[in-house]
Every structure is written in C-alpha cells, then in structure tokens.
C-alpha cells in the first residue's frame, strides 16, 4: 500500500500501485470515470474505464460520491493533464463506505459550517493549517528543550487569579467554586527555584466577551520562565524561538503554505534581532501613521493593527507604563513609572502574539504592588513566599500559539487555526 | 558563570569558578563554614574560611540559612570527603536573598506540606521526578512525530460525554452549563479522515470521588487515533512508544533515577513485544495468584495490583467482554460478546496506564450500541456522522502520562508525579 505522495513518482511508472483514501472529486464522461483521490499526503487522479473493469464495476465506481472511502490498485502512468501530473489506471478496488450526499459545499452559511465543523475540517485548506500547527507545536518545544528548559505542567483548576478576576470561568468542584486557569505563569515561577528554566504548553481560559478576530475563550498558551534572566535575556530567547519555528515551518510545510496561498516571502524575510521600540517612542511614531494615541493609552487589537500594518518584521514594544500592566511586572529602577517588560507584535497588522518581562523579586515591592491593586496578599500567599525564600531575578513570557499560527499562515481569524474553536456562542461540536 | 555540573570537572581544577543557586546545606565549625550549594544541575560543597574572607564576610556567610540565594566565586579543588568530590574555596560572593527559616523540614504533616507545595517542590527528589517527567513528555511526542502522526488539540469545553455523564465537571459558560472534557478521543477521530494519524497531549478531567493512589481529578492525557489501524497495529505502535520513552529516560535521567532510588534494572529489563493475554485467560490465570475473579468482573486498581505484582514486564489484556467497556469499542465479529480492545497493565503492581482498541466504524452497529446504552443518538450527531461519510477502520488509545511517570519512577502515589495534583479535596496552591 502506497501513500499518495509516494505514488507521485517516476520510480513507480508502469508498476501497479495501491492507495486508499477518500474521493475528493469525481466526474464521469461517457465510458470513463475520473476520480481524484485524497489521503493525508496528497491527491492523485485515478481513471476507471471498461478496459479493466466490467459493466457492474463501472456502474459502481461511477456512482461513488465525494468523501466515499475506498482502496484501489492500478498501473501508474504520467498524465500531464491530471491534477498532480500522474494517473492511476484502475484495475481493482474495494469500497469501504459509499456516502450519501456529503453536506459540505461552497456557499453554505457560517452557522451550518460550524455545526458541521467535524466534516468541514476535511478541506485541503484546514488540513494544511493543521499540519503547520503541528509543526509549530513541535518546534516550540524543541527550541526550549535544546536550550535546557524543562517542560512542566501547571494545574487547570485554580483558586488564585493571575490577570484579575473579571474574566474567570467558574467550575462546580464537588460543591465548591473554583476557577479555570488564565495563565500558568505563577506556577512556572514556583518551579524555577529548582529547575531554573521551564516551559509549558497548555490550554488557558478567559471568559472575555470580546468577539474580535483574535479571541478564543479557550486557547493554547505556551509559557516560559527562566531564573536569572533579564528582560533583554528573555527577548533574545524568544526571538530565536520565533525564528526557529518559522524556519521549521518553511522546511516542513512549503506545500501546505502553497495550499493556503500564503505569500511565503512574508515569513521567509523575517529577520532577528527584532527591533525594540519603547512604548513611549511607539506612541510618538504612531502619529506618522495618522493615529491619535497619547501616552498611557492601551494598545488593543485596533491600535496594534493600525501600527503593525506598517511593519514587515515583528517588533518588541518595551517599557510600558506601570498602569497598563499587571501587578507582578518589575518596575524599571532607572525610569520610574515604567516597567521592564515587552510585548511581541507581529507584522502585517497581526499585533500581539506574546507578552513577557521581568517579574518583581523584591518582597516589599511585590506586597506594595498587590496592595496598590486592591488585591488581598493572603490570596497570593504562595506567590509571595517565592520572594521570601531564595528570591532571584527572573523573567518569563506567555505566547498565544493559536495567534502565532494565525500570523504564520496569514489567516484572517484565529478560529481558522484550531479544529474546534470555542467562542462566547459556541461549544459544539 | 558555570552551572554546578560543569564545575564538577577536573578540567577546572585550580581555576576560579563562579556559580549561583541556593543553599542546600550549611554548617559552621569554628572558623570554617561549609555550604553545599544547589542549582538545577547538581550540588557542590563550598568552603568559607578567614583565609580569603574578612570577619564581617565570615559572619555574613555563616548566618546564611537554607534556601538563601547567592552567587559565589572561588578556586576549585578536589575534595574526596565532599558530597560530589569537589569543593570551591570561597573568595567572593553576592547574596541575592537571605531567608528567614525555610518552613519545609522532615516530619511535617501532609496537609502542611500540601499547603506549601510551592516550597516542598524544591526537594531533590521532586526535582528529579519532574526532570524525568519532562523527558517522558518529549519522548512521547517525538515517537509519534517520527511515525508521521500530527499533533492536534481538541477542546476542553464540551457538550458530549465520552465516558458517561456521571463524572463530568460543570462549567458556567456565560450562563449556560457546559462540561470539561474527559477524553479527546471523539475529536481525534474526526481528524483521521484528513490527517490519518493524530495525537494530542492535554489535560482531561474526571469528577470521580475515588481517592486511590492513582486518581487525579485533572490529569495529563496522551491520546492517539490512526486511520486503517487494527487493534494489533495499535498495540504494536504503543509498545514501541513505551519502550522508546523508557530508553530516553535511561539515556537522559540516570542521575535522577538514582536520586529517587529507583531500581534501574526494573525498567532496563522491559522488553517488547509485550505479552498479549485475553481477558478470559487472565481471569483464569488470576486463580494461580489466589484471586477469586470470575468472567465479567471488572478489573479495578486492587485486582490489577493483585495480578501485576506478579509480572516484571507490561502486558496487554485484550478481548474484554462488551459489558465492561464503553459503547464505541468494536465488537469482535469472530467472538460474539467480546470486543477488539486492549488495556496496557504495567508491572510491579502498577496496573492500567493505557487503554485502546478498534472503534466501531459501521453506522448501524454504532447506532445500535448507542441505543443499547440508553444514550441519545442526537447528542452524538457529529460522532455518528463520521460513520456516514467515508467511514474507515481505525483504532486509538489513551495513555495516562502521570501514571506512566509513576511507574517509570517507581512512585507509590500519582500525586508525586505532578507539581500541583488536584484531588477531590485540594485545589490549592
């Protein structure tokens, strides 16, 4: 049995090849039936004619419908008019399952397609995106393993909010109320005192009502923390990681990028180091783009789009004002009111895919920041403890893997990057 | 700056080395203070004496407490009496943070230790287990990438029960009730029609009230599905994967296995192929072990322990009676009442770490089994659809990664395998 990709080869010309998969296209013209078959590796044209098959078989073959599953054998030949340049002249076959009408077609409503996501996913475009996604997950982990990080797992059920309580999901936990994690950061921080450099790949949950093209209620979060790292050390690892992932996608998924019509040069030309731009300088620069931002304004999806549409390479935006970031970020001792942090904004208008920076490691400073934010230090007793026992300088980051895939694939909505996207209105299938 | 492991080397004898980390042990004897320092790579003895340090420095050094964080430099020499055979003669140092009394000590209560898990985790034993765990996660993914599987992600928020509704967690999803996933299997099945072979590594959730030594409410689940695979094909991939993981642990974590005092031969001697034993033969065989099981009895933790304590190698238990397994398992056409499935039981009494088998791919058979189990086919519309459109034979499996780590490390409770175990009574820290 050959995979279709293996069958697309001059080495097998004139030989009998066997493939199995699904009917991708089918048309009959008089005494001949053309079937384009697909499997996970590609597509190939097969031709059924009365030369090799009897009348009953011809009837059966020509009655097949899209997405029927079959196994078939026949001689391989070159056929320049066929979709991938080769053709199998069908000699024998076995039908696994003959469909009624496959419900997915062009011009169907969005809701219908979402209800039938389990079938829609079979499209070549989705398949290509999911293959690229698989490479992204592998490359992310490979990069950090290579750099002596350990992969760890933080809990999903939590009782401490990382990013503020407003967007937490509640779970009924044997009669008590607990939350679903928004970020594994605090847990990763607890592990750097023994493992020093750690990363995790896990779902995170945010009950945000935003319906933007880049929000999911459940998303895949890749996070890292590193002992003794400064803000700049962390950015250096991150940009190398991003470059490594892009290189791996270019190495493994060129065909997939073609299927989704991605302009490959847009990612091929990504260069490190990425430019570092201070928040205050970016606010200034945004005026060049006709934007009306002032110091202290938060950068949301629209603002980031307005800025990043003018960039071909990612940028690190650093030194945000304290008021814009969560309490655990370390203030810059040399620039009061600013913090030692960074966001990574992707080009072509994509905007934020990653945020990170130094964490406060001074006990009193952390307690002060918790109080300034009207939080209860007791809720954070274990996080505070880390500053009492062997505290050290350290930095970390959180990367939205779905958003990264969205940018690399050049997609217009983050929902296209994941098999079953969860949004405020959809948890089915 | 050297990592401690790098400093444990004849190449650096007589040279000045610099390390940073935490005080693991400290004792003063007259005019000398011995500090054993630890970092993520190992431990090394450092010696402070008035030869190189002034009175004030000596006082400061001798007042350090366990888990204080410091950076230090000094000449490296051999010292056979020191814990790892080398010693740094301290010349200069920088204290990052001097602790009050570190609260973790021997003979503390279980609850206290669980409340302070974030500090307890720094022990050498935990650190060793987490390093082994990191290797296990990497090796699992590497094995399946090598075998042309794609890594995919299934949703955590679901509205279809895979294993029956009784042990589902409920989430308040913007006012509606949804569940947390128990298994990604059904979603993985939807993806084999395009990607053919897929795996995922993700949390799964079970609201089981069992308080056994091998249950968590939230656990890390590695699942795979493969198109065209028979039950036997699946077992062949699985045993090679297990063997590969063990080999990688033996290659990368020998020191860690020693730290946790694992009898390395127990895992070194694991051989493939694993023995396949039919359920009915195992019931028979259990009589040899003085057990009183009869055909149709479920094998729980106790029964599996009673059996597997007599085995040194894992076994596959196959052909369970239909009554013992969930509705989606494929009945054996040659042996009515039995199903084409397998559980992988680990030796030394560990028992089940993996379950898998063929999935029903005939539409009518699936609908019949859903009805027999008093389930509503409409709840499973998308799972049923897979049997309507291009259905094919396929198999899959689910592996409990925490349990696998438990066995490989020879631990007595699954809670020791994960940084923050979630049980019926604990979601903190």
């Amino acid at each position: 049995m050959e995979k279709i990709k293996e069958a697309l080869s001059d080495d097998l010309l004139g030989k009998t090849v066997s493939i199995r998969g699904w009917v991708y296209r089918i048309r009959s013209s008089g005494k001949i039936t053309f079937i384009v078959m697909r499997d996970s590796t590609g597509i190939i044209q097969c031709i059924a004619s009365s030369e090799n098959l009897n009348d009953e078989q011809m009837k059966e073959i020509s009655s097949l419908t899209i997405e029927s599953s079959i196994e078939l054998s026949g001689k391989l030949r070159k056929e320049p008019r066929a979709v991938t340049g080769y053709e199998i002249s069908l000699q024998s076959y076995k039908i696994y399952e003959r469909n009624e009408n496959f419900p997915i077609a062009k011009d169907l409503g969005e809701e219908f397609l979402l209800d039938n996501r389990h079938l829609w996913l079979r499209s070549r475009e989705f398949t290509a995106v999911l293959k690229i996604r698989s490479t992204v997950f592998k490359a992310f982990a490979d990069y950090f393993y290579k750099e002596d990080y350990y992969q760890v797992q933080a809990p999903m059920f939590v009782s401490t909010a990382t990013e503020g309580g407003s967007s937490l999901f509640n779970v009924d936990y044997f009669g008590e109320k607990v939350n679903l994690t928004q970020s594994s950061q605090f847990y990763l921080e607890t592990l750097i005192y023994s493992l020093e450099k750690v990363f995790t790949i896990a779902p995170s949950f945010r009950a945000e009502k935003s319906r933007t093209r880049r929000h999911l209620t459940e998303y895949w979060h890749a996070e890292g923390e590193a002992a003794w790292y400064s803000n700049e050390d962390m950015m250096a690892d991150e940009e190398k990681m991003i470059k490594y992932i892009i290189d791996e996608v270019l190495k493994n998924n060129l065909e997939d990028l073609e299927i989704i019509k991605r302009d490959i040069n847009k990612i091929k030309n990504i260069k490190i180091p990425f430019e570092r731009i201070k928040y205050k300088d970016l606010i200034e620069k945004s005026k060049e783009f006709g934007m009306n931002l002032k110091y202290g304004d938060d950068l949301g999806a629209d603002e980031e789009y307005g800025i990043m549409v003018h960039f071909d390479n990612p940028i690190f935006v650093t030194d945000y004002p304290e008021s814009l970031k969560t309490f655990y970020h370390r203030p810059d001792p040399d620039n009061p009111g600013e913090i030692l942090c960074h966001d990574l904004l992707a080009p072509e208008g994509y905007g934020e895919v990653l945020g990170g920076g130094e964490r406060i490691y001074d006990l009193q400073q952390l307690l002060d920041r918790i109080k300034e934010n009207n939080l209860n230090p007791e809720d954070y007793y274990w996080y505070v403890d880390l500053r009492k026992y062997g505290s050290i300088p350290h930095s970390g980051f959180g990367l939205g893997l779905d958003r990264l895939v969205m940018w690399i694939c050049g997609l217009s909505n983050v929902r296209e990057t994941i098999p079953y996207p969860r949004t405020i209105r959809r948890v089915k299938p």
Side-chain angles (χ1 to χ4, degrees), chain A:
Chain A
M1 191 73 58
E2 280 84 31
K3 288 304 209 186
I4 287 175
K5 197 174 185 174
E6 293 163 0
L8 299 170
S9 156
D10 284 358
D11 297 346
L12 294 173
L13 284 177
K15 302 209 171 98
T16 299
V17 298
S18 300
I19 61 160
R20 58 190 174 191
W22 295 267
V23 174
Y24 182 62
R25 282 201 291 264
I26 183 163
R27 77 186 151 87
S28 291
S29 71
K31 283 174 182 160
I32 292 173
T33 297
F34 294 94
I35 307 175
V36 178
M37 289 289 294
R38 67 164 185 83
D39 70 7
S40 63
T41 69
I43 58 177
I44 191 167
Q45 178 167 296
C46 305
I47 181 166
S49 77
S50 48
E51 211 177 300
N52 297 317
L53 303 176
N54 64 33
D55 285 359
E56 204 181 323
Q57 288 174 316
M58 282 303 292
K59 207 174 141 192
E60 194 172 42
I61 282 286
S62 65
S63 76
L64 284 173
T65 49
I66 284 175
E67 286 300 312
S68 292
S69 45
I70 69 173
E71 185 176 315
L72 59 84
S73 294
K75 282 232 164 62
L76 184 75
R77 60 188 184 213
K78 267 211 158 130
E79 174 50 73
R81 288 167 300 179
V83 58
T84 42
Y86 295 84
E87 182 175 77
I88 295 171
S89 168
L90 216 153
Q91 288 167 318
S92 65
Y93 65 87
K94 175 184 170 187
I95 298 176
Y96 281 91
E97 211 250 317
R98 192 193 167 284
N99 287 329
E100 294 311 307
N101 278 334
F102 191 66
I104 305 296
K106 290 216 165 105
D107 305 320
L108 290 165
E110 178 79 1
E111 285 300 302
F112 179 86
L113 286 173
L114 287 170
D115 282 340
N116 290 282
R117 186 93 174 176
H118 56 292
L119 302 175
W120 187 19
L121 279 174
R122 298 187 191 179
S123 78
R124 291 196 86 202
E125 292 75 14
F126 257 131
T127 305
V129 169
L130 293 181
K131 287 180 179 180
I132 292 165
R133 184 179 171 96
S134 180
T135 301
V136 168
F137 274 66
K138 176 168 171 43
F140 176 87
D142 283 351
Y143 177 81
F144 285 107
Y145 274 118
K146 200 164 47 75
E147 296 294 320
D148 297 325
Y149 284 67
Y150 293 96
Q151 185 172 189
V152 297
Q153 288 74 40
M156 302 291 110
F157 292 131
V158 298
S159 44
T160 313
T162 324
E163 303 288 332
S166 65
S167 56
L168 286 167
F169 281 110
N170 293 320
V171 184
D172 174 3
Y173 197 82
F174 305 106
E176 308 236 339
K177 214 171 77 174
V178 307
N179 301 127
L180 291 176
T181 187
Q182 297 171 298
S183 158
S184 301
Q185 177 195 323
F186 288 5
Y187 292 99
L188 297 196
E189 285 187 64
T190 68
L191 290 162
I192 62 166
Y193 304 88
S194 51
L195 297 168
E196 296 197 53
K197 299 201 285 184
V198 295
F199 74 91
T200 194
I201 300 176
S204 277
F205 305 89
R206 301 212 182 172
E208 282 172 311
K209 292 196 172 156
S210 19
R211 295 185 197 169
T212 78
R213 62 186 187 94
R214 57 179 202 172
H215 278 91
L216 297 168
T217 56
E218 164 194 323
Y219 65 103
W220 281 80
H221 208 176
E223 297 177 271
E225 290 288 324
W228 315 105
Y229 266 43
S230 69
N231 193 40
E232 179 53 42
D233 293 335
M234 201 69 258
M235 285 190 278
D237 260 17
E238 287 161 10
E239 64 192 352
K240 279 183 270 176
M241 170 269 289
I242 297 284
K243 178 71 175 147
Y244 180 77
I245 291 175
I246 288 174
D247 287 347
E248 286 296 299
V249 167
L250 288 169
K251 202 164 86 186
N252 294 289
N253 300 92
L254 266 188
E255 279 173 37
D256 301 311
L257 291 166
E258 273 164 33
I259 287 171
I260 58 172
K261 300 190 173 66
R262 177 59 164 147
D263 180 349
I264 289 166
N265 287 324
K266 298 265 190 208
I267 52 175
K268 218 177 210 163
N269 293 336
I270 300 298
K271 291 202 172 37
I272 57 171
F274 301 153
E275 191 180 353
R276 277 86 167 135
I277 304 179
K278 284 181 198 291
Y279 167 87
K280 67 172 180 225
D281 297 331
L282 189 69
I283 293 297
E284 210 46 48
K285 195 177 176 65
S286 70
K287 297 199 169 83
E288 293 171 24
F289 311 138
M291 298 175 78
N292 193 20
L293 290 171
K294 59 182 192 304
Y295 189 90
D297 283 352
D298 203 357
L299 304 180
D302 292 343
E303 292 77 19
E304 287 177 9
Y305 177 83
I307 293 166
M308 293 313 295
V309 83
H310 300 283
F311 285 84
D312 294 328
N313 214 48
I315 61 170
F316 279 118
V317 183
T318 65
D319 305 81
Y320 280 82
E322 213 172 86
S323 60
L324 290 183
K325 295 282 175 183
T326 334
F327 71 87
Y328 53 73
H329 284 283
R330 183 166 176 242
D332 184 347
D334 301 326
N335 293 294
E338 293 180 1
I339 52 176
L340 294 165
C341 72
H342 57 272
D343 278 359
L344 179 67
L345 308 190
E348 302 174 67
Y350 281 101
E352 191 199 340
V353 292
L354 176 154
E358 291 184 28
R359 318 310 190 183
I360 293 176
Y361 61 93
D362 179 75
L363 177 61
Q364 195 51 53
Q365 192 171 36
L366 183 66
L367 290 171
D368 290 347
R369 289 285 284 150
I370 287 176
K371 275 176 208 149
E372 280 164 37
N373 282 270
N374 297 313
L375 299 166
N376 181 358
E378 277 173 37
D379 292 343
Y380 296 88
Y381 80 95
W382 54 279
Y383 190 63
V384 170
D385 266 1
L386 305 178
R387 280 72 186 168
K388 277 190 199 162
Y389 304 106
S391 192
I392 55 164
H394 63 285
S395 293
F397 71 90
L399 164 69
L401 285 168
D402 314 288
R403 287 189 184 177
L404 178 62
V405 173
M406 181 181 167
W407 161 42
I408 289 176
C409 292
L411 301 171
S412 61
N413 195 307
V414 71
R415 286 184 291 171
E416 296 169 41
T417 67
I418 188 164
Y420 296 94
R422 292 316 191 215
T423 58
I424 178 165
R425 284 188 307 182
R426 181 157 291 270
V427 288
K428 216 168 68 173

